[in-house]
Amino acid sequence: MNAPAPTHRPIQQLPDQLISQIAAGEVVERPSAVVKELLENALDAGATQVTIRLEEGGVKRIAITDNGRGIPPEELPLALARHATSKIASLTDLENVNTLGFRGEALASIASVAAVSITSRTADAAHAWEIVGSHQGTVSPSSGAFGTTIDVQDLYFNTPARRKFLKSEQTEYGHCAEVVRRIALARPDVSFSLTHNGRTIDHWNVSEPAKRSAQILGNDFAEARLQLDEAAGPLRLHGYVGLPTASKARADGQFFYVNGRFVRDKLLVHAVKAAYEDVLHGDRFPSYVLALELDPAMVDVNVHPSKIEVRFRDSRAVHQFVFHAVQRALAQTSATAHGNAPAPVSAAEIAPSSGASWGGGFGRDSGSGATPAWRRPHEQTSFGSQLTPSSPYASTFSPSPFPAGSRWEAQSGGGVAQRTESYGALFTGLKDSDAAPSKPSGFDMPLPSATQPASDDDFPLGFALAQLHGIYILAQNRKGLVLVDMHAAHERILYEQLKNALDAQAGGEQMQVQQMLIPVTFFADAIEVGTVEENQETLKALGFDIAAVSPTTLAVRAVPTLLKNADAQTLARDVLRDVREYGGSRVLIERRNELLGTLACHTAVRANRILSVQEMNALLRQMEATERADQCNHGRPTWVQLEISALDKLFLRGQ
């Protein structure tokens, strides 16, 4: 179908009403846009209390009342006039915008497509004043408290074509509520109240940022977040980033503010996404509430009609600052990021009723007189680890290893309130020969010494109890039970160690390598042989010594010390594949982390590998000392905590 030919008209001046309606097409896309503009005006006026009343999703009515400075009666007509504002007066002001609203178009545009009235009273006025309709309306005395009420009714009443494009009442209300949530998150110093069709939906009193974000984003976010507050020169970033394990399938928990203004900026989103790259699983999205503060002259907020996009003068500096700040926050492990673990539930709180029996015979000996499993020092257990008389821990697990009357003994009140200090004491006083693993493991962290008693504060992941199905490590800390995926945890440790080793080369340190006593040879095609010959510098930087010994054979003569326990041939093939595909320089720069993750995965301890107690504890200590140890480099969690209170509920204790 051919498009109709355009009508040719002479150039002419448009009427003011049509100009305002055209502007309204940009400013007033839907009711939520009205809510946004009016809320920003209220905050710019210094309001500390804001009430939002909506009817029929905001289409029938939007009324916003604030306790701000108010508008003098002589300025009320100007408030509804186009290009009239109190927020900018010159080009300098436009280049240094420090208010949320500033265009001077919003109220005029809204008034062109809806019935608008403004009632306002300043602190020195005897009563309020009101204007209805447009800037040509009459200002008349009215009643009202200090502040301003803007009442917008029958949106798009005179442009029915636009009204047809609006969604259902509930959908439009949802968009309005989302705008209120975004603004309320940024201003915990202001109280907000939201009602819809006469029913109060949300009310947030003035509070601290931590409480406000918990109220709006929920307890799940509050319980899985890390606080962030960093500054560098004129830049400051503060707020909260969610733990990777609390990621979501949608990006609906991401809130970024620039000088108090909610924005969706590709630069900032990319910076945060890059910081999560090593710890996020699959196509998951992190949650965060972050506020960037900088000199208004360094950011242009006038690049989009809705002011939701911004442009930075030095975008690279901003990107790097945000990336590194978030990355450093995520480098903490949650075992150490939240301070000391809370005290365990007391025996009195979990005491069973009088006469209740103890299940399983754990703790107190059962009536049969059998010795509990944890007191049998030299027997094979179902956990997969074996303690033999020659083991350095054999004497440790002798009968009654705990001091009489200690909290490890069953208490008469019913319940066992155990101390990890007591359990940690079992591992003190060992000779160096005892502490060393009996076979190579890669878990080289020292165990606590007799001169440095173990405590909850030093070892938040607690101490190993056993190994489960050759996959998981069971440990006890002050909170309760810790379950560790040993392969995932070891993978993260090796990955971070490899990254640190490569980074250290920039400072002149050499990669530590393990020379092979007998070189490992394997068949290679011509492309692999050529890759080795052309990329010796890259291979050396990665800690590999690979040479061609024949046109079809490669020999691995050295590997990084950190990877000495892995299969040399598999490692070599992985490295050569990436070097061949991406080139030596790109592997070291763009693909470095992916390659190191692959190498760490091949080297990490495998499932069904039986670990001794000292190896398990050494792994826990390495986790506590490793950045981002909460997740493997694929983003999966490495450990979980089961608190005593949760275990009590499973067994109906105290009920």
Side-chain angles (χ1 to χ4, degrees):
M1 181 181 293
N2 294 327
T7 302
H8 295 285
R9 295 192 180 97
I11 299 174
Q12 57 186 342
Q13 183 71 44
L14 294 177
D16 287 345
Q17 178 69 9
L18 184 56
I19 292 173
S20 296
Q21 289 180 336
I22 292 172
E26 293 184 346
V27 177
V28 191
E29 299 172 308
R30 62 197 322 163
S32 59
V34 176
V35 174
K36 174 181 179 294
E37 296 289 348
L38 300 186
L39 282 179
E40 289 180 347
N41 283 342
L43 296 177
D44 285 341
T48 59
Q49 296 177 4
V50 181
T51 300
I52 306 99
R53 300 189 300 276
L54 305 175
E55 293 181 16
E56 297 183 9
V59 177
K60 181 175 178 60
R61 187 184 188 194
I62 300 171
I64 294 184
T65 301
D66 67 66
N67 66 342
R69 289 186 293 272
I71 305 172
E74 64 273 13
E75 296 180 13
L76 283 174
L78 284 174
L80 292 172
R82 296 189 70 239
H83 304 314
T85 179
S86 63
K87 300 170 186 179
I88 58 173
S90 66
L91 180 61
T92 301
D93 293 338
L94 188 61
E95 294 175 346
N96 294 271
V97 174
N98 56 10
T99 55
L100 296 176
F102 59 86
R103 284 175 174 270
E105 295 179 7
L107 288 177
S109 298
I110 294 168
S112 70
V113 293
V116 175
S117 66
I118 302 178
T119 304
S120 190
R121 179 182 177 185
T122 58
D124 57 352
H127 55 79
W129 295 84
E130 181 183 46
I131 186 171
V132 179
S134 70
H135 65 286
Q136 298 175 342
T138 301
V139 178
S140 58
S142 182
S143 60
F146 296 115
T148 302
T149 296
I150 300 181
D151 199 337
V152 179
Q153 298 188 36
D154 296 325
L155 192 61
Y156 298 135
F157 77 95
N158 56 354
T159 54
R162 285 186 180 172
R163 197 161 189 168
K164 288 192 304 182
F165 286 95
L166 296 178
K167 304 299 182 182
S168 67
E169 174 182 326
Q170 202 59 32
T171 298
E172 295 301 338
Y173 164 72
H175 285 289
C176 293
E178 180 65 17
V179 167
V180 176
R181 291 172 72 239
R182 291 173 186 169
I183 293 177
L185 263 176
R187 296 297 303 269
D189 58 322
V190 178
S191 68
F192 294 85
S193 181
L194 172 63
T195 65
H196 185 222
N197 293 336
R199 185 167 67 94
T200 299
I201 305 298
D202 288 308
H203 181 80
W204 302 297
N205 291 320
V206 174
S207 60
E208 296 298 319
K211 184 177 180 180
R212 176 65 60 85
S213 61
Q215 289 173 328
I216 294 178
L217 299 184
N219 289 331
D220 289 345
F221 177 77
E223 294 172 358
R225 65 185 178 187
L226 298 170
Q227 188 170 9
L228 183 158
D229 193 341
E230 288 205 20
L235 303 175
R236 182 195 174 203
L237 184 69
H238 58 97
Y240 300 94
V241 291
L243 292 174
T245 48
S247 60
K248 306 174 70 175
R250 297 187 300 168
D252 58 353
Q254 300 180 349
F255 298 85
F256 212 117
Y257 301 86
V258 175
N259 288 345
R261 185 190 311 279
F262 175 82
V263 299
R264 281 202 187 100
D265 184 80
K266 293 180 180 178
L267 177 91
L268 299 174
V269 170
H270 182 272
V272 177
K273 182 179 179 180
Y276 273 90
E277 187 177 35
D278 271 356
V279 294
L280 210 58
H281 179 56
D283 296 325
R284 306 285 292 178
F285 296 91
S287 297
Y288 52 81
V289 179
L290 292 172
L292 177 65
E293 297 177 4
L294 71 167
D295 186 342
M298 296 176 63
V299 57
D300 183 2
V301 297
N302 198 28
V303 297
H304 192 275
S306 65
K307 302 187 288 291
I308 204 168
E309 297 178 9
V310 296
R311 182 182 295 121
F312 297 101
R313 177 175 296 178
D314 190 346
S315 58
R316 178 174 176 79
V318 171
H319 181 281
Q320 290 300 99
F321 170 69
V322 172
F323 165 71
H324 288 295
V326 176
Q327 189 182 54
R328 279 190 289 269
L330 295 174
Q332 310 172 74
T333 65
S334 61
T336 57
H338 303 304
N340 298 336
V345 179
S346 67
E349 292 177 295
I350 62 174
S353 58
S354 177
S357 62
W358 287 52
F362 182 86
R364 178 178 293 176
D365 292 349
S366 63
S368 63
T371 303
W374 59 277
R375 284 194 178 177
R376 302 171 193 164
H378 312 314
E379 297 179 14
Q380 175 73 33
T381 72
S382 60
F383 300 114
S385 62
Q386 180 156 5
L387 298 172
T388 64
S390 60
S391 167
Y393 289 88
S395 60
T396 302
F397 284 83
S398 58
S400 300
F402 309 112
S406 73
R407 295 181 65 189
W408 275 84
E409 291 296 285
Q411 299 184 12
S412 58
V416 179
Q418 301 166 337
R419 293 177 60 90
T420 57
E421 291 96 332
S422 302
Y423 187 68
L426 299 175
F427 300 97
T428 61
L430 296 175
K431 297 179 293 184
D432 292 340
S433 60
D434 293 338
S438 58
K439 51 185 177 298
S441 67
F443 308 142
D444 301 325
M445 295 295 288
L447 295 171
S449 64
T451 58
Q452 185 182 7
S455 71
D456 296 328
D457 297 342
D458 296 329
F459 307 114
L461 288 179
F463 298 92
L465 297 171
Q467 193 176 7
L468 182 64
H469 289 296
I471 301 174
Y472 302 104
I473 294 172
L474 279 65
Q476 173 183 296
N477 65 357
R478 181 183 294 186
K479 290 183 178 180
L481 180 67
V482 173
L483 295 173
V484 177
D485 183 330
M486 66 184 195
H487 172 76
H490 195 206
E491 184 178 2
R492 168 58 73 178
I493 292 168
L494 289 172
Y495 177 55
E496 293 296 330
Q497 289 175 341
L498 286 168
K499 286 199 301 182
N500 293 337
L502 276 184
D503 292 339
Q505 291 187 54
E509 296 184 26
Q510 294 295 318
M511 172 77 75
Q512 297 296 313
V513 299
Q514 175 70 46
Q515 298 294 331
M516 311 295 288
L517 185 61
I518 301 176
V520 175
T521 59
F522 60 93
F523 173 81
D525 58 31
I527 295 178
E528 289 177 320
V529 173
T531 301
V532 168
E533 293 175 344
E534 295 169 6
N535 295 277
Q536 280 297 310
E537 290 299 320
T538 299
L539 295 174
K540 182 179 179 182
L542 291 169
F544 288 88
D545 183 358
I546 306 175
V549 295
S550 82
T552 58
T553 306
L554 292 175
V556 183
R557 300 186 295 201
V559 297
T561 302
L562 293 168
L563 308 179
K564 63 184 179 181
N565 296 321
D567 181 74
Q569 178 180 335
T570 302
L571 294 179
R573 288 193 182 278
D574 285 335
V575 170
L576 293 179
R577 183 187 63 246
D578 275 21
V579 171
R580 180 176 71 247
E581 184 174 353
Y582 300 103
S585 59
R586 285 191 62 193
V587 161
L588 290 176
I589 299 173
E590 300 176 22
R591 297 283 304 177
R592 186 191 78 156
N593 288 355
E594 290 85 348
L595 174 60
L596 297 184
T598 300
L599 299 179
C601 185
H602 284 312
T603 311
V605 62
R606 295 294 181 182
N608 299 320
R609 158 76 184 278
I610 305 304
L611 301 182
S612 66
V613 176
Q614 61 264 48
E615 286 177 318
M616 290 188 280
N617 278 298
L619 179 61
L620 296 177
R621 303 293 77 80
Q622 283 185 318
M623 290 175 64
E624 293 163 348
T626 300
E627 294 181 344
R628 292 170 283 271
D630 291 345
Q631 295 82 30
C632 72
N633 49 297
H634 306 297
R636 295 188 295 268
T638 59
W639 67 280
V640 295
Q641 174 84 59
L642 293 177
E643 298 189 3
I644 287 290
S645 57
L647 295 173
D648 289 339
K649 290 180 180 178
L650 288 175
F651 293 97
L652 305 179
R653 295 182 63 82
Q655 298 184 21

